[in-house]
Amino acid sequence: MKLGGRSLGRILASIFEGRHYAALWRSFRVYDFPFYRLSNYVLSTGNYPCDIKLHLKGNKLKARLNSHHDLLTVNEVFCREDYPVSGDEKTIVDIGSNIGISALYFLNACPESKLFLFEPNPANIETLRANMAPYPERVSIEESAVSDSSGMLRFGVEESGRYGGLNLELERQIKVKCLDINQVLSEVLTSSNSIEILKLDTEGAEIDTINSISIEHINQIDRIYFEEGVLSRLKLLKGELFTEFTLKSKGNSHYLSRREF
């Protein structure tokens, strides 16, 4: 049995997770029409594509959504706060930017930040550029994937545009440009002394990408945020990372934060 595309077991399990109650409380401050948006979120309904208005730290912003799947992302990022920030971050690298929901959050929560965005799916790029249009001086967009290798690689895509990834067997396969993570970090660090946040949401390629980052670049990153739905896979993170970082987890979101000595 499913409700709004979610299994009954998943819904019942969420009752015991405090982060969902915190997200519900924040949603009344975030959304323009909270009861309507919450109904869309729970039941996977609504008229799409659409523009919605959001509120964050006194800022009013607009986000263009292509489907109800994008509303799930809004809830994760703006209401559940899966990507915590201090507000003082200056340089943020967002790999797997999708349509720019996480980027909108970073831009408005960190007013002095510059963002470097990477998104390979052509179906997402137009919406990503539209969502980033108000911030031309603060955003760089690269239409490419980023992983532990470079070249033209196979990329699986599906209708929503939310769950595509390198080498995934999905509805359709396309070829996308892929950049090596160390090449990306080198170029970003030519204009910045450090990277406060490196965020990766690449549907399964996160751990291999993190493990391939050179020690030179690791030393210039404060925090790494990444997705991983299989907790046992966290053991695949290379041990050297834990001399520099501590690992914390919140659901499928994981945080490598630099140790303070």
Side-chain angles (χ1 to χ4, degrees), residues 121-137:
N121 189 343
N124 292 332
I125 288 293
E126 181 180 354
T127 306
L128 173 61
R129 293 192 186 280
N131 282 330
M132 294 298 100
Y135 314 93
E137 304 300 322

mmCIF file with all atom_site columns, all heavy atoms in Angstrom, residues 121-137:
data_model
loop_
_atom_site.group_PDB
_atom_site.id
_atom_site.type_symbol
_atom_site.label_atom_id
_atom_site.label_alt_id
_atom_site.label_comp_id
_atom_site.label_asym_id
_atom_site.label_entity_id
_atom_site.label_seq_id
_atom_site.pdbx_PDB_ins_code
_atom_site.Cartn_x
_atom_site.Cartn_y
_atom_site.Cartn_z
_atom_site.occupancy
_atom_site.B_iso_or_equiv
_atom_site.pdbx_formal_charge
_atom_site.auth_seq_id
_atom_site.auth_comp_id
_atom_site.auth_asym_id
_atom_site.auth_atom_id
_atom_site.pdbx_PDB_model_num
ATOM 1   N N   . ASN A 1 121 ? 22.484 16.678 -16.665 1.00 0.00 ? 121 ASN A N   1
ATOM 2   C CA  . ASN A 1 121 ? 21.249 16.280 -17.335 1.00 0.00 ? 121 ASN A CA  1
ATOM 3   C C   . ASN A 1 121 ? 20.665 17.454 -18.116 1.00 0.00 ? 121 ASN A C   1
ATOM 4   O O   . ASN A 1 121 ? 20.219 18.437 -17.524 1.00 0.00 ? 121 ASN A O   1
ATOM 5   C CB  . ASN A 1 121 ? 20.233 15.781 -16.301 1.00 0.00 ? 121 ASN A CB  1
ATOM 6   C CG  . ASN A 1 121 ? 19.013 15.144 -16.941 1.00 0.00 ? 121 ASN A CG  1
ATOM 7   O OD1 . ASN A 1 121 ? 18.748 15.328 -18.125 1.00 0.00 ? 121 ASN A OD1 1
ATOM 8   N ND2 . ASN A 1 121 ? 18.258 14.405 -16.152 1.00 0.00 ? 121 ASN A ND2 1
ATOM 9   N N   . PRO A 1 122 ? 20.629 17.382 -19.447 1.00 0.00 ? 122 PRO A N   1
ATOM 10  C CA  . PRO A 1 122 ? 20.103 18.497 -20.245 1.00 0.00 ? 122 PRO A CA  1
ATOM 11  C C   . PRO A 1 122 ? 18.670 18.867 -19.877 1.00 0.00 ? 122 PRO A C   1
ATOM 12  O O   . PRO A 1 122 ? 18.279 20.038 -20.000 1.00 0.00 ? 122 PRO A O   1
ATOM 13  C CB  . PRO A 1 122 ? 20.178 17.963 -21.684 1.00 0.00 ? 122 PRO A CB  1
ATOM 14  C CG  . PRO A 1 122 ? 21.207 16.881 -21.652 1.00 0.00 ? 122 PRO A CG  1
ATOM 15  C CD  . PRO A 1 122 ? 21.099 16.261 -20.290 1.00 0.00 ? 122 PRO A CD  1
ATOM 16  N N   . ALA A 1 123 ? 17.889 17.900 -19.391 1.00 0.00 ? 123 ALA A N   1
ATOM 17  C CA  . ALA A 1 123 ? 16.498 18.179 -19.029 1.00 0.00 ? 123 ALA A CA  1
ATOM 18  C C   . ALA A 1 123 ? 16.400 19.097 -17.815 1.00 0.00 ? 123 ALA A C   1
ATOM 19  O O   . ALA A 1 123 ? 15.369 19.736 -17.605 1.00 0.00 ? 123 ALA A O   1
ATOM 20  C CB  . ALA A 1 123 ? 15.772 16.866 -18.747 1.00 0.00 ? 123 ALA A CB  1
ATOM 21  N N   . ASN A 1 124 ? 17.461 19.177 -17.013 1.00 0.00 ? 124 ASN A N   1
ATOM 22  C CA  . ASN A 1 124 ? 17.445 20.021 -15.814 1.00 0.00 ? 124 ASN A CA  1
ATOM 23  C C   . ASN A 1 124 ? 18.077 21.391 -16.041 1.00 0.00 ? 124 ASN A C   1
ATOM 24  O O   . ASN A 1 124 ? 17.831 22.323 -15.262 1.00 0.00 ? 124 ASN A O   1
ATOM 25  C CB  . ASN A 1 124 ? 18.203 19.335 -14.669 1.00 0.00 ? 124 ASN A CB  1
ATOM 26  C CG  . ASN A 1 124 ? 17.498 18.094 -14.164 1.00 0.00 ? 124 ASN A CG  1
ATOM 27  O OD1 . ASN A 1 124 ? 16.277 17.992 -14.241 1.00 0.00 ? 124 ASN A OD1 1
ATOM 28  N ND2 . ASN A 1 124 ? 18.261 17.150 -13.643 1.00 0.00 ? 124 ASN A ND2 1
ATOM 29  N N   . ILE A 1 125 ? 18.893 21.522 -17.069 1.00 0.00 ? 125 ILE A N   1
ATOM 30  C CA  . ILE A 1 125 ? 19.718 22.717 -17.228 1.00 0.00 ? 125 ILE A CA  1
ATOM 31  C C   . ILE A 1 125 ? 18.886 23.978 -17.431 1.00 0.00 ? 125 ILE A C   1
ATOM 32  O O   . ILE A 1 125 ? 19.161 25.024 -16.831 1.00 0.00 ? 125 ILE A O   1
ATOM 33  C CB  . ILE A 1 125 ? 20.719 22.533 -18.383 1.00 0.00 ? 125 ILE A CB  1
ATOM 34  C CG1 . ILE A 1 125 ? 21.810 21.540 -17.977 1.00 0.00 ? 125 ILE A CG1 1
ATOM 35  C CG2 . ILE A 1 125 ? 21.335 23.865 -18.784 1.00 0.00 ? 125 ILE A CG2 1
ATOM 36  C CD1 . ILE A 1 125 ? 22.719 22.038 -16.860 1.00 0.00 ? 125 ILE A CD1 1
ATOM 37  N N   . GLU A 1 126 ? 17.855 23.905 -18.250 1.00 0.00 ? 126 GLU A N   1
ATOM 38  C CA  . GLU A 1 126 ? 17.046 25.104 -18.510 1.00 0.00 ? 126 GLU A CA  1
ATOM 39  C C   . GLU A 1 126 ? 16.427 25.633 -17.222 1.00 0.00 ? 126 GLU A C   1
ATOM 40  O O   . GLU A 1 126 ? 16.451 26.845 -16.949 1.00 0.00 ? 126 GLU A O   1
ATOM 41  C CB  . GLU A 1 126 ? 15.947 24.798 -19.534 1.00 0.00 ? 126 GLU A CB  1
ATOM 42  C CG  . GLU A 1 126 ? 15.087 26.005 -19.859 1.00 0.00 ? 126 GLU A CG  1
ATOM 43  C CD  . GLU A 1 126 ? 13.989 25.711 -20.870 1.00 0.00 ? 126 GLU A CD  1
ATOM 44  O OE1 . GLU A 1 126 ? 13.955 24.586 -21.418 1.00 0.00 ? 126 GLU A OE1 1
ATOM 45  O OE2 . GLU A 1 126 ? 13.163 26.614 -21.102 1.00 0.00 ? 126 GLU A OE2 1
ATOM 46  N N   . THR A 1 127 ? 15.883 24.723 -16.402 1.00 0.00 ? 127 THR A N   1
ATOM 47  C CA  . THR A 1 127 ? 15.280 25.148 -15.140 1.00 0.00 ? 127 THR A CA  1
ATOM 48  C C   . THR A 1 127 ? 16.342 25.627 -14.165 1.00 0.00 ? 127 THR A C   1
ATOM 49  O O   . THR A 1 127 ? 16.126 26.601 -13.424 1.00 0.00 ? 127 THR A O   1
ATOM 50  C CB  . THR A 1 127 ? 14.474 23.990 -14.520 1.00 0.00 ? 127 THR A CB  1
ATOM 51  O OG1 . THR A 1 127 ? 13.543 23.500 -15.482 1.00 0.00 ? 127 THR A OG1 1
ATOM 52  C CG2 . THR A 1 127 ? 13.714 24.461 -13.288 1.00 0.00 ? 127 THR A CG2 1
ATOM 53  N N   . LEU A 1 128 ? 17.482 24.967 -14.144 1.00 0.00 ? 128 LEU A N   1
ATOM 54  C CA  . LEU A 1 128 ? 18.590 25.413 -13.290 1.00 0.00 ? 128 LEU A CA  1
ATOM 55  C C   . LEU A 1 128 ? 18.979 26.849 -13.632 1.00 0.00 ? 128 LEU A C   1
ATOM 56  O O   . LEU A 1 128 ? 19.138 27.696 -12.742 1.00 0.00 ? 128 LEU A O   1
ATOM 57  C CB  . LEU A 1 128 ? 19.787 24.475 -13.456 1.00 0.00 ? 128 LEU A CB  1
ATOM 58  C CG  . LEU A 1 128 ? 21.084 24.887 -12.752 1.00 0.00 ? 128 LEU A CG  1
ATOM 59  C CD1 . LEU A 1 128 ? 20.893 24.972 -11.243 1.00 0.00 ? 128 LEU A CD1 1
ATOM 60  C CD2 . LEU A 1 128 ? 22.214 23.918 -13.102 1.00 0.00 ? 128 LEU A CD2 1
ATOM 61  N N   . ARG A 1 129 ? 19.128 27.137 -14.918 1.00 0.00 ? 129 ARG A N   1
ATOM 62  C CA  . ARG A 1 129 ? 19.519 28.500 -15.322 1.00 0.00 ? 129 ARG A CA  1
ATOM 63  C C   . ARG A 1 129 ? 18.427 29.510 -14.966 1.00 0.00 ? 129 ARG A C   1
ATOM 64  O O   . ARG A 1 129 ? 18.729 30.644 -14.551 1.00 0.00 ? 129 ARG A O   1
ATOM 65  C CB  . ARG A 1 129 ? 19.822 28.529 -16.815 1.00 0.00 ? 129 ARG A CB  1
ATOM 66  C CG  . ARG A 1 129 ? 21.064 27.716 -17.196 1.00 0.00 ? 129 ARG A CG  1
ATOM 67  C CD  . ARG A 1 129 ? 21.498 27.998 -18.627 1.00 0.00 ? 129 ARG A CD  1
ATOM 68  N NE  . ARG A 1 129 ? 22.594 27.122 -19.028 1.00 0.00 ? 129 ARG A NE  1
ATOM 69  C CZ  . ARG A 1 129 ? 23.881 27.309 -18.704 1.00 0.00 ? 129 ARG A CZ  1
ATOM 70  N NH1 . ARG A 1 129 ? 24.215 28.365 -17.975 1.00 0.00 ? 129 ARG A NH1 1
ATOM 71  N NH2 . ARG A 1 129 ? 24.799 26.469 -19.110 1.00 0.00 ? 129 ARG A NH2 1
ATOM 72  N N   . ALA A 1 130 ? 17.163 29.122 -15.103 1.00 0.00 ? 130 ALA A N   1
ATOM 73  C CA  . ALA A 1 130 ? 16.070 30.029 -14.741 1.00 0.00 ? 130 ALA A CA  1
ATOM 74  C C   . ALA A 1 130 ? 16.082 30.327 -13.239 1.00 0.00 ? 130 ALA A C   1
ATOM 75  O O   . ALA A 1 130 ? 15.891 31.477 -12.826 1.00 0.00 ? 130 ALA A O   1
ATOM 76  C CB  . ALA A 1 130 ? 14.730 29.416 -15.147 1.00 0.00 ? 130 ALA A CB  1
ATOM 77  N N   . ASN A 1 131 ? 16.306 29.303 -12.428 1.00 0.00 ? 131 ASN A N   1
ATOM 78  C CA  . ASN A 1 131 ? 16.336 29.506 -10.978 1.00 0.00 ? 131 ASN A CA  1
ATOM 79  C C   . ASN A 1 131 ? 17.545 30.323 -10.533 1.00 0.00 ? 131 ASN A C   1
ATOM 80  O O   . ASN A 1 131 ? 17.495 31.001 -9.491  1.00 0.00 ? 131 ASN A O   1
ATOM 81  C CB  . ASN A 1 131 ? 16.309 28.162 -10.253 1.00 0.00 ? 131 ASN A CB  1
ATOM 82  C CG  . ASN A 1 131 ? 14.921 27.553 -10.209 1.00 0.00 ? 131 ASN A CG  1
ATOM 83  O OD1 . ASN A 1 131 ? 13.921 28.264 -10.184 1.00 0.00 ? 131 ASN A OD1 1
ATOM 84  N ND2 . ASN A 1 131 ? 14.847 26.231 -10.208 1.00 0.00 ? 131 ASN A ND2 1
ATOM 85  N N   . MET A 1 132 ? 18.616 30.270 -11.319 1.00 0.00 ? 132 MET A N   1
ATOM 86  C CA  . MET A 1 132 ? 19.827 31.013 -10.959 1.00 0.00 ? 132 MET A CA  1
ATOM 87  C C   . MET A 1 132 ? 19.893 32.408 -11.589 1.00 0.00 ? 132 MET A C   1
ATOM 88  O O   . MET A 1 132 ? 20.810 33.178 -11.302 1.00 0.00 ? 132 MET A O   1
ATOM 89  C CB  . MET A 1 132 ? 21.065 30.221 -11.396 1.00 0.00 ? 132 MET A CB  1
ATOM 90  C CG  . MET A 1 132 ? 21.272 28.896 -10.651 1.00 0.00 ? 132 MET A CG  1
ATOM 91  S SD  . MET A 1 132 ? 21.518 29.118 -8.859  1.00 0.00 ? 132 MET A SD  1
ATOM 92  C CE  . MET A 1 132 ? 19.869 28.719 -8.243  1.00 0.00 ? 132 MET A CE  1
ATOM 93  N N   . ALA A 1 133 ? 18.917 32.739 -12.435 1.00 0.00 ? 133 ALA A N   1
ATOM 94  C CA  . ALA A 1 133 ? 18.959 34.013 -13.164 1.00 0.00 ? 133 ALA A CA  1
ATOM 95  C C   . ALA A 1 133 ? 19.091 35.248 -12.267 1.00 0.00 ? 133 ALA A C   1
ATOM 96  O O   . ALA A 1 133 ? 19.762 36.211 -12.647 1.00 0.00 ? 133 ALA A O   1
ATOM 97  C CB  . ALA A 1 133 ? 17.716 34.138 -14.052 1.00 0.00 ? 133 ALA A CB  1
ATOM 98  N N   . PRO A 1 134 ? 18.496 35.274 -11.050 1.00 0.00 ? 134 PRO A N   1
ATOM 99  C CA  . PRO A 1 134 ? 18.648 36.473 -10.213 1.00 0.00 ? 134 PRO A CA  1
ATOM 100 C C   . PRO A 1 134 ? 20.042 36.647 -9.603  1.00 0.00 ? 134 PRO A C   1
ATOM 101 O O   . PRO A 1 134 ? 20.290 37.668 -8.960  1.00 0.00 ? 134 PRO A O   1
ATOM 102 C CB  . PRO A 1 134 ? 17.604 36.249 -9.100  1.00 0.00 ? 134 PRO A CB  1
ATOM 103 C CG  . PRO A 1 134 ? 16.647 35.244 -9.644  1.00 0.00 ? 134 PRO A CG  1
ATOM 104 C CD  . PRO A 1 134 ? 17.484 34.354 -10.497 1.00 0.00 ? 134 PRO A CD  1
ATOM 105 N N   . TYR A 1 135 ? 20.952 35.674 -9.816  1.00 0.00 ? 135 TYR A N   1
ATOM 106 C CA  . TYR A 1 135 ? 22.244 35.708 -9.124  1.00 0.00 ? 135 TYR A CA  1
ATOM 107 C C   . TYR A 1 135 ? 23.418 35.604 -10.101 1.00 0.00 ? 135 TYR A C   1
ATOM 108 O O   . TYR A 1 135 ? 24.342 34.813 -9.895  1.00 0.00 ? 135 TYR A O   1
ATOM 109 C CB  . TYR A 1 135 ? 22.321 34.557 -8.113  1.00 0.00 ? 135 TYR A CB  1
ATOM 110 C CG  . TYR A 1 135 ? 21.091 34.394 -7.258  1.00 0.00 ? 135 TYR A CG  1
ATOM 111 C CD1 . TYR A 1 135 ? 20.063 33.515 -7.636  1.00 0.00 ? 135 TYR A CD1 1
ATOM 112 C CD2 . TYR A 1 135 ? 20.929 35.120 -6.085  1.00 0.00 ? 135 TYR A CD2 1
ATOM 113 C CE1 . TYR A 1 135 ? 18.923 33.372 -6.860  1.00 0.00 ? 135 TYR A CE1 1
ATOM 114 C CE2 . TYR A 1 135 ? 19.786 34.976 -5.301  1.00 0.00 ? 135 TYR A CE2 1
ATOM 115 C CZ  . TYR A 1 135 ? 18.786 34.098 -5.694  1.00 0.00 ? 135 TYR A CZ  1
ATOM 116 O OH  . TYR A 1 135 ? 17.658 33.953 -4.932  1.00 0.00 ? 135 TYR A OH  1
ATOM 117 N N   . PRO A 1 136 ? 23.424 36.369 -11.169 1.00 0.00 ? 136 PRO A N   1
ATOM 118 C CA  . PRO A 1 136 ? 24.435 36.162 -12.220 1.00 0.00 ? 136 PRO A CA  1
ATOM 119 C C   . PRO A 1 136 ? 25.870 36.350 -11.758 1.00 0.00 ? 136 PRO A C   1
ATOM 120 O O   . PRO A 1 136 ? 26.783 35.709 -12.303 1.00 0.00 ? 136 PRO A O   1
ATOM 121 C CB  . PRO A 1 136 ? 24.049 37.207 -13.275 1.00 0.00 ? 136 PRO A CB  1
ATOM 122 C CG  . PRO A 1 136 ? 23.294 38.259 -12.519 1.00 0.00 ? 136 PRO A CG  1
ATOM 123 C CD  . PRO A 1 136 ? 22.545 37.512 -11.467 1.00 0.00 ? 136 PRO A CD  1
ATOM 124 N N   . GLU A 1 137 ? 26.105 37.214 -10.779 1.00 0.00 ? 137 GLU A N   1
ATOM 125 C CA  . GLU A 1 137 ? 27.463 37.489 -10.329 1.00 0.00 ? 137 GLU A CA  1
ATOM 126 C C   . GLU A 1 137 ? 27.954 36.476 -9.300  1.00 0.00 ? 137 GLU A C   1
ATOM 127 O O   . GLU A 1 137 ? 29.146 36.449 -8.989  1.00 0.00 ? 137 GLU A O   1
ATOM 128 C CB  . GLU A 1 137 ? 27.542 38.901 -9.722  1.00 0.00 ? 137 GLU A CB  1
ATOM 129 C CG  . GLU A 1 137 ? 27.083 40.002 -10.660 1.00 0.00 ? 137 GLU A CG  1
ATOM 130 C CD  . GLU A 1 137 ? 27.911 40.055 -11.932 1.00 0.00 ? 137 GLU A CD  1
ATOM 131 O OE1 . GLU A 1 137 ? 29.132 39.843 -11.829 1.00 0.00 ? 137 GLU A OE1 1
ATOM 132 O OE2 . GLU A 1 137 ? 27.338 40.302 -13.016 1.00 0.00 ? 137 GLU A OE2 1
#
